[in-house]
Amino acid sequence: MKLIGVDVGGTFTDLIITDSDTQETEIHKVPTTPEDPSIGATEGIVELCRRGGIDPGAVDHVFHGTTIATNAVLQYDGARTGMITSEGYRDIIHIGRHQRPENYSIMQDIPWQARPLVRRRHRKTVPERLTPPSGEVLVALDEEAVRRAAREFKAAGVESIAICFLFSYLEPKHEQRARDIVLEEYPEAFVATSARVAPQFREFERFTTAAMNAFIGPKVRTYVQRFDGQLKAAGLAAELHIMGSNGGVATAQTVAELPVVTLLSGPAAGVLGGAWAAALSERSRLITFDVGGTSADIGIVIDGQYSEATARDTWIGGYPILVAMIDIATIGAGGGSIAHVDAGGGFKVGPQSAGARPGPACYGSGGEAPTVTDANLALGRLDADNFLGGSMALDESAAGKAIDGLAERLGIERFEAAEGVLTIMNSNMANAIRAKTVQKGIDPRGFSLVAFGGAGPLHGAEVADLLGIPEVVVPLHPGITSAAGLLTTDLKYDQIKTEFQVKGNVDLDKINRDFEALGSELLEQFASDGLSEAEVEQLRYGDLRYVGQGYELRVAVPPGTLDGAALEQVWQAFHELHEQEYGHFFADSPIEIVNIRLTGIGKMPKIANPPEPVGESLAAAQVKTAMSVFRVDGALQRLQTKFYNRAKLPPEAAFDGPAVILQKDTTTVVPPGWTASLDKGANLILTKG
C-alpha cells in the first residue's frame, strides 16, 4: 500500500510517502501557504509523487495533521457563533467556575470573558428541563422558542450554533430535537450539540467545548472539504484521514462534524512519530522534543504508552476542553522565533515568530528581525549552501546584519548576542520539559530525548545537557517525523457516559448496559468508515475519584461483563494510580465512578521500518571543516568543526563534537563534549562524554 503523511506547520509543510510492500520511502518539505495551507500541501503531494515516480491515483491513503482548528482558537478567528441553552443558564460560559488564571493579579485577562466564543447577544434561552439521575422530562422543550431563536440567528448573520442544555449528558433528546428544528429553519448553519461533542457532566466545560466546536466548525469543515476536493482534482482517489488530539485519525467526514477533536492534531502526530523512531533503537522511556519554525511540543512516552491529559489539564488558548487528547506541552519556541529587547530592557526570544513569510532574515524573503535560525547561522552551526539539502541557500550577510542590530541594542558583540539567543531559547524549552517531568515527579535523567522537527536536532544536545539527560535520539528523517507519525496510527474514536456510582452501591447491570450501548454507538461509527466489528479493538476505562474530590483519574476497566471481582480490580488500580499521582491513597475512603469511557481502535496500514543504514566512512561523509562558535567552560570559543553528510555516515562509528551533521530536512549539532554515532535503527545517538 502507498501511504502519504502530510503535516502542516507554521513555517513548513512536511510530507512523506511510503510503500508498505517495497518499503521504499521518499520525503519532501515545502513552505506552508498561510492563506490556504491545502494549496501548499496539495502541491507538495503532487511533487512528492512525481519524484517517486508514483501515479497519484495509486495512493491508497492520505493522513493529514493540521493546525487549522488550533490557529482559529489562538487567533480568535472563528465563526460568528450563537448558543441556545436552558432558561436561566445564559451566562454559564461567561461565569465559568469563578477561576482566575492568575490568582493574585488585579490586572489579568480571563480568556472566556475577554474573548467569548459566543457573545452575550447571541445566547438565547428556551424553556426545557430534564432532571437527574436518569434524565426524565421536568419541563418539555418549547419548540416554538427554538424556532424563534433560529430565525433571529439567521437574521443576525450567525453562522454556527451550539445547543447546550443543562442535563443533556443524561438524555440528549431535547438537544437532538432542537438541532432538527434549527436545521429546518436555517439549513446552512453549522450546528453542534453538547451531548454529541462532550456527553459528560461539568456544564461550564461541556458548554465551552460545544461552543468551541461551533466556533471553529465552519472554518475546519470548509478547509477539509476544500483539501479533499483539491486532492481529487490532482488525481488522488485516496481517502483523507485527519489526525486527532487523541493519537488516532478520523475520517474527513467525522472531522467536519467534530472539528474540536483536532485541536492538537499536529503535535499529537509528533509524539507518535518520535515514539516509533525511538522504538527502532529499542528506547522506550522517551521525552519527545518536536521543534519547528514556530513552536516546540513536548510529550512523554513510557513503554510505548503516552500520557493523556485529564479534565483539569485540557485547556486550549485559555478555554477548557472536554475531549480526549495526548498530554502535550506547547511553547512559542522555534527556528523562526524572534529575538527582541522588550520595553523594560529585557532580552527575550519568542513567542512571536517570523513564520513562513517573511521568515528569518537569512531566508532572503524580506524578513529583518533576528531569529533563532539567524543566530545558528551566525554561529556557524548551519551550512548556508546545504539548507534543505541544498535546495535553498541562506543569506549569511542578512543574518549577520539582523544579529548585529540586536547586539547593538544590547551593547554586546555579535557572537555573544547570537549565543544569547540560543541560551534563552534552550532555557525556555528545558523549563517546558521540567514542567512535564520534574514537577510531576518524573526524573528526566532516566529518559532519552527524541529530538526532531526542523530545529529540534539543532538544540537537542544542549537542552538535554541543561536537564542532565544523558542521551539524544535523532530519527532518520527528523524534519518530517510528525508526518511519519501520521503513518503509525489507527482510526480512533472515543465514547463517554457519566455514571456517578459509589463503591458499595454500584449498579453493575446499569454499567454493563451502558458499556454495551457505548459499544454499539462506537461500532456504528466504524461501520460508516467501512470497518467491521472484527476489525475494531475496544478499550474500556473509568474516571474515578474519592468522594468529595474535584477531579478524576482514569483507570482501565477489564473487558467482558463486569462482576464483583472485576470491580475490585478497578478499585485497587485506582488506589495504586492515586498513590503514583499524589504520593498517597485512602484505603478506607469511598470511591466514585464518575464516567465510563470506551475507546475504539480500527487498524490502519502502517509505515514500513527503514532499512539498516549502509553508509561509507567518516572520511567520505565529511563535507568540510569550518569554524563554529560554542560556549566552553563559560567562555565563547571559535572551534574547528567537522561537517558530515548523514547519508554517508557508517553505522556504529562514533565521532566527537564539535560536529554538524547535514541532511535534507534538518541539521544536527553535536556540541563539544558530546559523541555521536549512527545505530542499526537508523537513528543518530548523541551521548554526553
Side-chain angles (χ1 to χ4, degrees):
M1 276 192 169
K2 295 177 177 60
L3 315 174
I4 289 179
V6 186
D7 181 58
V8 177
T11 307
F12 286 101
T13 293
D14 306 324
L15 304 104
I16 182 171
I17 187 168
T18 185
D19 190 321
S20 58
D21 299 322
T22 65
Q23 296 194 342
E24 294 179 351
T25 295
E26 181 80 21
I27 68 169
H28 191 34
K29 208 173 182 77
V30 298
T32 294
T33 48
E35 69 281 1
D36 182 358
S38 66
I39 296 173
T42 304
E43 291 174 350
I45 289 172
V46 172
E47 175 63 16
L48 188 63
C49 289
R50 187 193 66 77
R51 291 184 177 191
I54 296 170
D55 177 8
V59 175
D60 296 284
H61 295 280
V62 174
F63 299 89
H64 180 36
T66 175
T67 57
I68 290 292
T70 313
N71 291 343
V73 176
L74 298 180
Q75 298 167 9
Y76 192 55
D77 184 26
R80 181 178 294 182
T81 304
M83 176 180 286
I84 300 175
T85 188
S86 305
E87 200 168 52
Y89 291 87
R90 181 182 185 184
D91 294 318
I92 278 180
I93 63 170
H94 179 89
I95 297 170
R97 297 192 175 277
H98 295 286
Q99 292 172 309
R100 296 158 55 92
E102 300 172 42
N103 285 333
Y104 302 105
S105 173
I106 62 171
M107 300 287 291
Q108 62 178 298
D109 180 49
I110 300 176
W112 57 89
Q113 295 180 0
R115 298 177 298 279
L117 297 170
V118 185
R119 297 188 178 277
R120 194 170 195 272
R121 61 180 173 270
H122 296 319
R123 299 179 218 147
K124 309 290 185 182
T125 64
V126 300
E128 75 83 36
R129 181 61 59 87
L130 304 176
T131 184
S134 55
E136 295 93 351
V137 176
L138 184 65
V139 177
L141 175 67
D142 187 333
E143 297 190 359
E144 185 53 40
V146 175
R147 288 189 192 278
R148 189 163 54 251
R151 293 169 188 154
E152 290 171 357
F153 284 146
K154 187 174 183 177
V158 168
E159 308 163 71
S160 192
I161 300 167
I163 300 173
C164 307
F165 294 153
L166 191 58
F167 290 109
S168 61
Y169 66 88
L170 296 172
E171 171 53 64
K173 61 185 178 184
H174 277 185
E175 283 192 355
Q176 292 170 349
R177 178 55 186 154
R179 181 180 186 275
D180 292 342
I181 294 169
V182 169
L183 289 174
E184 289 172 12
E185 297 291 334
Y186 191 4
E188 312 93 78
F190 182 99
V191 184
T193 65
S194 74
R196 174 75 174 95
V197 177
Q200 54 185 297
F201 90 113
R202 294 195 172 101
E203 63 276 2
F204 169 54
E205 291 82 359
R206 174 164 52 90
F207 285 19
T208 300
T209 305
M212 177 75 75
N213 196 74
F215 182 73
I216 64 177
K219 177 168 285 193
V220 174
R221 181 174 62 183
T222 299
Y223 171 78
V224 169
Q225 291 172 345
R226 185 168 58 236
F227 189 21
D228 196 37
Q230 288 178 345
L231 291 176
K232 287 180 171 54
L236 284 93
E239 187 172 3
L240 177 63
H241 293 86
I242 312 293
M243 187 74 195
S245 306
N246 63 356
V249 291
T251 61
Q253 181 180 352
T254 298
V255 169
E257 181 187 356
L258 293 172
V260 74
V261 303
T262 67
L263 284 169
L264 289 183
S265 176
V271 174
L272 299 179
W276 169 77
L280 300 172
S281 299
E282 299 179 346
R283 269 65 172 183
S284 59
R285 292 175 63 82
L286 314 168
I287 299 170
T288 61
F289 181 60
D290 180 7
V291 187
T294 305
S295 60
D297 303 312
I298 294 110
I300 308 295
V301 181
I302 300 177
D303 297 331
Q305 300 297 312
Y306 46 79
S307 59
E308 291 191 8
T310 62
R312 63 183 182 273
D313 297 323
T314 50
W315 294 73
I316 301 291
Y319 306 95
I321 303 297
L322 288 178
V323 295
M325 57 179 66
I326 296 176
D327 190 9
I328 300 171
T330 298
I331 62 170
S337 294
I338 295 172
H340 61 283
V341 180
D342 67 14
F347 184 8
K348 295 185 176 181
V349 180
Q352 300 87 356
S353 173
R357 297 175 185 171
C362 60
Y363 283 10
S365 300
E368 297 181 351
T371 68
V372 172
T373 299
D374 296 312
N376 275 303
L377 183 60
L379 294 169
R381 302 185 187 190
L382 291 170
D383 188 344
D385 300 321
N386 280 284
F387 194 71
L388 291 182
S391 63
M392 180 177 175
L394 299 180
D395 188 335
E396 291 182 272
S397 113
K401 183 179 179 181
I403 296 298
D404 285 343
L406 176 68
E408 185 178 348
R409 290 192 293 276
L410 292 168
I412 57 179
E413 58 91 28
R414 175 189 288 186
F415 290 148
E416 285 286 354
E419 204 276 337
V421 172
L422 301 193
T423 296
I424 295 171
M425 168 87 161
N426 294 337
S427 296
N428 289 343
M429 294 188 291
N431 287 335
I433 293 174
R434 288 191 185 99
K436 285 294 177 187
T437 54
V438 177
Q439 292 181 18
K440 295 190 173 186
I442 298 172
D443 187 350
R445 295 172 297 181
F447 287 71
S448 299
L449 185 72
V450 189
F452 55 96
L458 274 164
H459 301 268
E462 291 181 334
V463 171
D465 211 4
L466 291 171
L467 296 162
I469 297 173
E471 179 183 81
V472 177
V473 178
V474 182
L476 175 61
H477 299 301
I480 54 84
T481 297
S482 289
L486 293 165
L487 309 184
T488 69
T489 188
D490 299 297
L491 278 173
K492 188 174 181 181
Y493 299 120
D494 298 282
Q495 296 284 348
I496 185 170
K497 184 171 178 60
T498 296
E499 293 287 335
F500 287 130
Q501 298 207 45
V502 179
K503 181 181 180 181
N505 192 32
V506 173
D507 186 343
L508 278 173
D509 289 339
K510 182 179 184 303
I511 291 180
N512 283 317
R513 286 196 306 272
D514 289 343
F515 265 127
E516 186 175 346
L518 292 181
S520 298
E521 293 176 25
L522 206 61
L523 292 174
E524 284 180 17
Q525 177 77 65
F526 281 105
S528 67
D529 296 340
L531 272 69
S532 66
E533 181 175 355
E535 298 173 288
V536 178
E537 179 186 7
Q538 298 187 41
L539 305 175
R540 307 198 302 180
Y541 303 93
D543 294 338
L544 276 66
R545 66 186 181 187
Y546 293 117
V547 173
Q549 286 185 320
Y551 291 99
E552 305 80 47
L553 296 174
R554 193 166 304 167
V555 177
V557 175
T561 302
L562 279 179
D563 55 19
L567 201 55
E568 197 58 43
Q569 293 178 34
V570 173
W571 305 139
Q572 186 58 37
F574 172 73
H575 287 312
E576 293 172 0
L577 185 58
H578 195 281
E579 184 176 29
Q580 179 183 326
E581 185 79 11
Y582 298 109
H584 61 270
F585 70 98
F586 306 100
D588 299 324
S589 294
I591 302 171
E592 184 176 29
I593 303 174
V594 178
N595 303 310
I596 59 171
R597 296 176 179 269
L598 196 61
T599 297
I601 300 173
K603 298 298 180 182
M604 299 292 291
K606 303 291 194 297
I607 186 173
N609 288 343
E612 289 189 14
V614 177
E616 298 181 27
S617 66
L618 286 177
Q622 188 172 330
V623 175
K624 67 177 186 179
T625 300
M627 302 301 292
S628 301
V629 179
F630 293 90
R631 190 175 294 278
V632 181
D633 297 329
L636 289 184
Q637 297 184 24
R638 298 188 70 193
L639 302 173
Q640 286 282 350
T641 302
K642 293 179 178 180
F643 285 65
Y644 294 99
N645 180 344
R646 178 169 178 170
K648 295 182 179 181
L649 286 174
E652 310 297 340
F655 54 95
D656 297 329
V660 174
I661 304 164
L662 306 172
Q663 61 187 103
K664 181 178 181 179
D665 52 325
T666 195
T667 297
T668 301
V669 171
V670 186
W674 284 74
T675 300
S677 64
L678 192 66
D679 76 352
K680 293 183 179 180
N683 292 309
L684 273 171
I685 308 296
L686 279 55
T687 54
K688 181 70 181 292

